[in-house]
Amino acid sequence: MSLERFDAYVARCLPDILADLSALCRIPSVSAENGPAMEDARRLVERLCQQAGLRTEVVPQPGGPAIVLARGGSGPRRLMIYNHYDVQPPDPLDEWTSPPFEPTVRDGKLFARGAADNKGDLVARLWALRAYQEAVGPLPVEVLFVIEGEEEVGSRHLASFAAEHAGLLRTVDGCLWEFGYKNSQGQPVVHLGVKGILSVELRVRTAETDAHSGLGGLLPNAAWRLVEALSTLRSADGRVLIDGLADRVRPASASELALLETLPWEGEELRHTYGLRRDFLGGLAGTAALHRLLFEPTVTINGLLAGYTGPGSKTVIPSQAM
């Protein structure tokens, strides 16, 4: 009966839920830019938390967006819930069917930058708490939301925040991370861990100025030097070749390998989603592909910039590459 009341409440409030999500997605809270929109998003997040019956506290961060703490409920256990209100840049804009910060509903789905990562999850969780309290009763567990605005730029202040609030964070019994979704078969996905990340910007300069490409047989080319260096980091089949890195990778345990055997391989769905025109790296499929995806390191080139990239051509030897 409680679940039926909960579902009925959600169905009745669905227009309001979508309105709140759309309002948050309209704010271009791109943390890489750290503009006024970050404060606009923070204020709306704080208001949504309060509407869900939570007590809020804003924790300023020097030189970065504030962290919102929100608490509510009571009980013998405390659940921490982590989310973020910043988004990645929407480029390339010409690949969007509708403007990234103008939420649009197509085929029953809402499209906007941040609708999936991570504003949709945040709004859904806050409305879930609101629905439970108004349709079922008081929360049987204490909840602590930690909502930051720098996840997409490496959570630069999260470590110092954690150190300053260590006493509070040590009181939690568990943590629910940002995402929550279903796979292509409609099964809920639970993540038991995530990989870390290291981002590096590599710049090459081979001369003071660009030169004419007719001198290509003599002059060093920054673009060639860069791609030659990058090619030493990974083999063509996707194996990482960085010296010593494999020695520092923790191997999967027997229980993890057993779980791996039970997971569905969604290769065809991946092909369809990304319009893949060739096989996966190394021809991997099934359990072997899942093992690489979940347990092995990767080296990814996020972008390259060198020489002339405008329309037509320009006979140039780049002196710089990045």
Side-chain angles (χ1 to χ4, degrees):
M1 180 63 77
S2 297
L3 184 59
E4 293 175 357
R5 293 199 303 271
F6 181 92
D7 289 344
Y9 180 93
V10 171
R12 186 169 64 253
C13 295
L14 187 57
D16 296 325
I17 298 172
L18 291 176
D20 282 347
L21 176 56
S22 296
L24 190 55
C25 287
R26 285 191 190 96
I27 302 175
S29 51
V30 179
S31 50
E33 300 173 357
N34 196 22
M38 300 306 301
E39 179 64 13
D40 295 338
R42 194 275 304 164
R43 282 196 294 264
L44 179 53
V45 165
E46 186 180 11
R47 185 162 71 249
L48 294 176
C49 289
Q50 293 168 351
Q51 291 173 353
L54 304 176
R55 308 180 305 278
T56 60
E57 174 187 354
V58 177
V59 184
Q61 302 302 308
I67 292 176
V68 177
L69 291 178
R71 315 181 206 196
S74 62
R77 300 288 184 92
R78 173 179 284 174
L79 174 66
M80 184 170 76
I81 304 174
Y82 168 85
N83 284 99
H84 61 91
Y85 57 86
D86 63 316
V87 298
Q88 290 205 354
D91 308 77
L93 296 177
D94 58 359
E95 292 191 11
W96 285 82
T97 302
S98 53
F101 296 108
E102 294 180 15
T104 304
V105 176
R106 296 193 300 273
D107 299 325
K109 301 179 178 67
L110 188 140
F111 292 84
R113 171 55 94 220
D117 181 9
N118 178 241
K119 295 176 179 180
D121 301 276
L122 172 58
V123 171
R125 289 171 177 178
L126 291 174
W127 266 96
L129 294 183
R130 184 172 177 177
Y132 188 95
Q133 292 173 96
E134 297 191 18
V136 180
L139 294 176
V141 64
E142 188 176 354
V143 295
L144 169 67
F145 275 83
V146 177
I147 310 169
E148 67 158 325
E150 291 185 303
E151 194 275 344
E152 301 292 4
V153 290
S155 299
R156 292 177 289 207
H157 291 88
L158 195 59
S160 58
F161 165 83
E164 294 169 3
H165 295 79
L168 171 65
L169 300 180
R170 286 194 184 101
T171 65
V172 303
D173 298 287
C175 177
L176 187 62
W177 187 57
E178 57 177 300
F179 280 121
Y181 61 92
K182 297 178 180 179
N183 63 18
S184 62
Q185 301 175 36
Q187 299 168 315
V189 175
V190 177
H191 289 272
L192 302 182
V194 294
K195 297 181 182 181
I197 185 172
L198 170 66
S199 296
V200 176
E201 183 173 292
L202 180 61
R203 293 180 176 269
V204 175
R205 177 185 282 274
T206 55
E208 290 301 318
T209 63
D210 293 348
H212 191 280
S213 60
L215 296 171
L218 293 177
L219 300 189
N221 182 314
W224 272 115
R225 185 69 188 95
L226 180 62
V227 298
E228 287 163 356
L230 293 175
S231 69
T232 68
L233 301 179
R234 202 200 74 169
S235 66
D237 64 359
R239 291 180 297 110
V240 178
L241 302 178
I242 298 174
D243 293 345
L245 181 61
D247 299 332
R248 303 180 66 86
V249 176
R250 181 180 63 82
S253 67
S255 60
E256 289 170 335
L257 291 175
L259 283 174
L260 198 65
E261 295 288 344
T262 70
L263 293 181
W265 165 238
E266 300 185 290
E268 289 307 312
E269 288 77 8
L270 281 172
R271 290 179 184 277
H272 176 73
T273 298
Y274 296 104
L276 196 64
R277 294 183 174 91
R278 55 184 299 179
D279 291 339
F280 295 105
L281 292 177
L284 294 178
T287 303
L290 287 169
H291 189 279
R292 174 172 289 182
L293 179 66
L294 299 177
F295 292 113
E296 298 177 27
T298 180
V299 174
T300 300
I301 298 174
N302 296 138
L304 295 170
L305 182 63
Y308 177 75
T309 58
S313 64
K314 181 180 181 182
T315 51
V316 62
I317 297 175
S319 61
Q320 298 183 67
M322 185 271 285

